[in-house]
Amino acid sequence: MADYHYVYKDVEGASTQWDDIQRKLGNLPPKPPAFKPAPFEPAPDSDSAPKDKSWINQKTEEELEDLEDDLDDDRFLEEYRKKRLAEMREAAKVSKYGSVMQISGSDFVREVSQAPQDVWVVVLLYKEGFPECGLLLQCLEELAVKYPATKFVKIISTDCIPNYPDRNLPTLLVYNSGAVKANYVGLHSFGRRCTPEGVALVLCQSDPVLNDGQSGSDQSQKAVLEGVRRRFIEKVVTEHEDHDDGGSSSD
């Protein structure tokens, strides 16, 4: 049997004159706004984007490698692509350090003696339960963050050198090109108060051990050394001023 109870539905958003009168009298809620689709915008076409420095900067390392044969006609962009690719690779190289890594005796040759020739390695010989070792480790952890291109490792003293005397702890060994360049036995090697600035100054006395990773040039190494000396002096001056302020008294 056919359904004769058909209900007429008006176009969405439309209303009758009676409804409009009732809304004016406040008997019906306000009329909802008619649906309006967002304007159509075509998806951006990467091939049509202008090829300039900003376009190169948005590319990943893999994408830059794929562009090697596509920019032969644009000498400027090809040179900039090579420069950008070198910067990204250098940054990736630096990022593998930045902390004090725990190693074992079996890791020593691989992580220290066979480290790349352009990398300085600072080795902490320590033991748990020695406050002096903990203090020096805190300093090295701060320096490792500031100088991520320098490799910092720590190893339990007797794992590195069997029967190494506890009285020599903590000990720092500085390696470069597979050879020991310096060693510092005991906390007194770093002054009356062991601070990151003081440790940095001692490490850089004869060689540019600390490397911030900005560049491998001699000019950059000199900048690192000057920065270490400046921070050390600022630290000493600040501590001296704080001491004077604490010792002064008013009448």
Side-chain angles (χ1 to χ4, degrees), residues 13 50 69 81 100 107 130 155 169 199 202 218:
D69 298 328
R81 181 193 72 85
V100 181
D107 301 326
F130 286 70
I155 180 172
L169 299 180
V199 174
V202 172
D218 292 339

Side-chain angles (χ1 to χ4, degrees), residues 65-242:
E65 291 176 348
D66 293 339
L67 288 174
E68 183 175 2
D69 298 328
D70 297 341
L71 300 177
D72 291 340
D73 296 336
D74 193 323
R75 185 175 180 181
F76 170 77
L77 278 184
E78 173 58 19
E79 291 300 321
Y80 188 73
R81 181 193 72 85
K82 292 180 180 179
K83 178 183 177 183
R84 178 65 179 152
L85 193 56
E87 291 174 348
M88 294 174 73
R89 287 172 176 169
E90 185 66 22
K93 175 183 175 182
V94 170
S95 65
K96 64 183 178 182
Y97 305 127
S99 63
V100 181
M101 181 175 63
Q102 179 77 52
I103 64 172
S104 63
S106 59
D107 301 326
F108 193 90
V109 172
R110 182 184 70 253
E111 299 293 345
V112 179
S113 303
Q114 296 179 352
Q117 293 188 356
D118 60 339
V119 173
W120 287 84
V121 185
V122 179
V123 183
L124 170 65
L125 305 185
Y126 80 106
K127 273 188 177 180
E128 297 288 351
F130 286 70
E132 297 86 352
C133 294
L135 179 57
L136 183 54
L137 177 58
Q138 289 180 2
C139 296
L140 296 181
E141 288 173 340
E142 184 172 326
L143 294 178
V145 174
K146 290 182 179 179
Y147 303 100
T150 298
K151 188 174 185 178
F152 290 84
V153 301
K154 60 180 180 178
I155 180 172
I156 296 176
S157 57
T158 49
D159 286 351
C160 181
I161 305 174
N163 302 318
Y164 191 73
D166 289 349
R167 65 177 179 274
N168 292 343
L169 299 180
T171 295
L172 276 191
L173 306 177
V174 180
Y175 275 76
N176 181 247
S177 300
V180 178
K181 299 298 183 180
N183 64 85
Y184 305 97
V185 179
L187 202 62
H188 64 274
S189 301
F190 306 102
R192 183 174 58 87
R193 294 185 60 189
C194 184
T195 64
E197 295 78 14
V199 174
L201 188 65
V202 172
L203 289 176
C204 291
Q205 279 181 343
S206 56
D207 295 296
V209 176
L210 300 180
N211 187 345
D212 58 10
Q214 298 301 314
S215 173
S217 65
D218 292 339
Q219 192 66 31
S220 176
Q221 292 174 353
K222 291 178 181 178
V224 169
L225 292 174
E226 288 302 318
V228 168
R229 295 189 183 100
R230 184 179 67 255
R231 280 188 285 271
F232 178 77
I233 294 173
E234 290 174 351
K235 181 78 171 182
V236 172
V237 171
T238 300
E239 290 179 349
H240 181 71
E241 291 176 346
D242 292 343

